[in-house]
Amino acid sequence: MIAKIIAILAVTLILFFLPAPEGVDSRGMHMAGIFAGTILGLILQPLPTASVALIGLAAAMMTGTMAAKDEALTGFGNPTIWLIVAAFFIADGFLITGLGRRIALMFVSKLGRSSLGLAYGMALTDLVLAPATPSNTARAGGVVYPIIKSLAVVNNSEPTTTESRKRLGSYLLLTAIQVNTITSAMFITAMAGNPLAVGFAEQQGVHITWGTWALGALVPGVVALLAMPWVMMKIYPPTLRQTPDAPDHARVQLKESGPMSRAEIIMLVTFLLLLALWILGSTIGVNATSAAFLGIAILLASKVLTWNDMAKNSGAWSTLIFFSVLVAMAEHLDTLGVITWIGNSVSSLVGDLPWPLAFAVLLLVYFYVHYLFASNTAQIVAMYAVFLAAAVAAGTPAMFAALMFGFAGNLIGGLTHYASGPAGVIFGSGYVPTNEWFKKSFIASVVNIIIWGSVGTLWLMLIGLWN
């Protein structure tokens, strides 16, 4: 414990007292030090996640690095974070009513002979929903997560002990977040930040249509989706591998459950309404978070959920705290000029390299700098245009660079438990500890880089999306 605290303080203080580079606000390195120390605290876990985040926030406010009124607490008003919290309560509805168990039993009856089969079933579900669901948080948190949670519970896998969570839940949930990053990368409309990337590319003379993006991502995306559940099975295997009797057992339980109850029907109708609003939200002007809260309101008004049910969901409230703090810190880093300075510094370092090597360096830095971000969209806003301009200036074909940075802006979403909205939902479930998340997700990121970097490059060359 003492060694962990010393390491956290050392990193924080070293960065805190570094002089601010040109173009960076005088508070910039202070914020960088506190943010880095908070992230290290989340990794080493001397205290629970929410406690570490609040200590970091207190340090930022007490040192004057973040003003309490209009800087430190802004993350608590972020709609994406509240969408994550809402997803927890929607998942509660699935479990309390028994609808989640019913859906889980249906999946088990069709695909339940192995945990790998279940993972591919969830991947297919995510892929089908992705083109029409601009909120990857809504897709992962409101649709996929409740089903996986129910599957885990049905198979006696809960986050209460290491043995129990590793039985099935840990594998399915960490695989789900990696799959979600892939499906998000395959369509402009699968993640809220993708249209922003397209807009930034347009400003630099690169015109990307919905079809162009989807065609460019098709082959590497399918290869990655086929590979990821298998890779995760190798590096993060569940103890429950084969369940040959599960399909028959599930069919028996479904029969014994009888017809759907009133609460299940209300939950199903609410879920279908939410799904429709999430899919059509950008067309009819309904925000994904607003839709989620409408769903919660319906569940409360019909007494399918109660306030006590919501109050007892410690995972939701813990996630609200730590995610809000990190988002506020990450946004403040950008405001103070730290993120721009990092991007410009990297760009200047590759100016004399051959363009393939320069592009590889830029892409890797763009990918792994996401350890400093708590949102895909935040990084796209802060760095996409800077890195695209640097790559094109180095001689990289513009369309190729724009698409690859666009894909990468999604694949980074599983690097950490705070990397994206879906990551926050999955981590809040309690099935995947921080140290396991960082280790296994780094390996998954390497697999994605290899697939999208090799297969993706060859595919873009083959179909002419190169210049």
Side-chain angles (χ1 to χ4, degrees), residues 34 37-39 41-42 47-62 66 72-73 76 317-326 329:
I34 294 171
T38 302
I39 297 303
L42 295 175
L47 292 170
T49 298
S51 300
V52 172
L54 287 176
I55 291 171
L57 185 64
M61 290 191 287
M62 290 303 297
M66 299 180 81
L73 303 178
F76 288 91
W317 302 117
S318 177
T319 298
L320 170 65
I321 291 173
F322 94 81
F323 220 76
S324 297
V325 171
L326 291 179
M329 287 184 173

Side-chain angles (χ1 to χ4, degrees), residues 290-464:
S290 302
F293 271 84
L294 171 63
I296 292 173
I298 293 172
L299 296 178
L300 288 171
S302 61
K303 297 185 178 180
V304 171
L305 274 182
T306 67
W307 171 249
N308 285 337
D309 295 326
M310 295 170 62
K312 289 187 293 187
N313 195 327
S314 59
W317 302 117
S318 177
T319 298
L320 170 65
I321 291 173
F322 94 81
F323 220 76
S324 297
V325 171
L326 291 179
V327 165
M329 287 184 173
E331 290 177 347
H332 199 47
L333 277 173
D334 183 37
T335 301
L336 296 176
V338 176
I339 302 301
T340 301
W341 168 68
I342 293 173
N344 291 336
S345 298
V346 172
S347 300
S348 65
L349 293 176
V350 300
D352 297 326
L353 296 176
W355 80 257
L357 182 57
F359 177 72
V361 171
L362 288 170
L363 188 64
L364 287 173
V365 172
Y366 183 79
F367 200 104
Y368 288 110
V369 77
H370 196 63
Y371 282 110
L372 299 177
F373 286 89
S375 162
N376 301 67
T377 303
Q379 178 167 334
I380 291 169
V381 170
M383 307 192 79
Y384 179 90
V386 172
F387 274 68
L388 176 58
V392 173
T396 310
M399 177 62 78
F400 171 74
L403 286 173
M404 293 299 280
F405 279 124
F407 301 154
N410 295 274
L411 300 174
I412 56 180
L415 271 178
T416 66
H417 58 303
Y418 56 85
S420 62
V425 174
I426 300 302
F427 179 73
S429 70
Y431 278 88
V432 187
T434 307
N435 60 337
E436 292 180 10
W437 189 300
F438 273 73
K439 292 175 184 176
K440 308 307 179 184
S441 292
F442 176 77
I443 297 173
S445 75
V446 173
V447 172
N448 265 329
I449 288 172
I450 292 172
I451 292 174
W452 289 79
S454 57
V455 176
T457 297
L458 292 174
W459 174 243
L460 291 177
M461 291 176 65
L462 180 64
I463 62 177

Side-chain angles (χ1 to χ4, degrees), residues 161-240:
T161 66
T162 299
E163 180 181 1
S164 180
R165 67 176 178 79
K166 285 192 171 184
R167 180 172 171 80
L168 182 63
S170 295
Y171 163 71
L172 286 181
L173 285 168
L174 194 56
T175 301
I177 184 61
Q178 301 304 332
V179 163
N180 183 263
T181 68
I182 297 167
T183 58
S184 297
M186 293 180 69
F187 309 96
I188 288 177
T189 48
M191 200 276 284
N194 290 343
L196 296 176
V198 171
F200 291 136
E202 188 75 36
Q203 292 173 8
Q204 298 192 32
V206 184
H207 181 62
I208 303 174
T209 65
W210 192 96
T212 299
W213 184 301
L215 180 62
L218 176 62
V219 171
V222 169
V223 172
L225 281 176
L226 290 173
M228 192 55 67
W230 180 84
V231 169
M232 295 302 293
M233 175 64 72
K234 296 298 180 182
I235 66 173
Y236 199 51
T239 56
L240 182 66

Side-chain angles (χ1 to χ4, degrees), residues 151-158 163-165 167:
L151 282 170
V153 172
V154 165
N155 285 279
N156 300 314
S157 177
E158 301 195 43
E163 180 181 1
S164 180
R165 67 176 178 79
R167 180 172 171 80

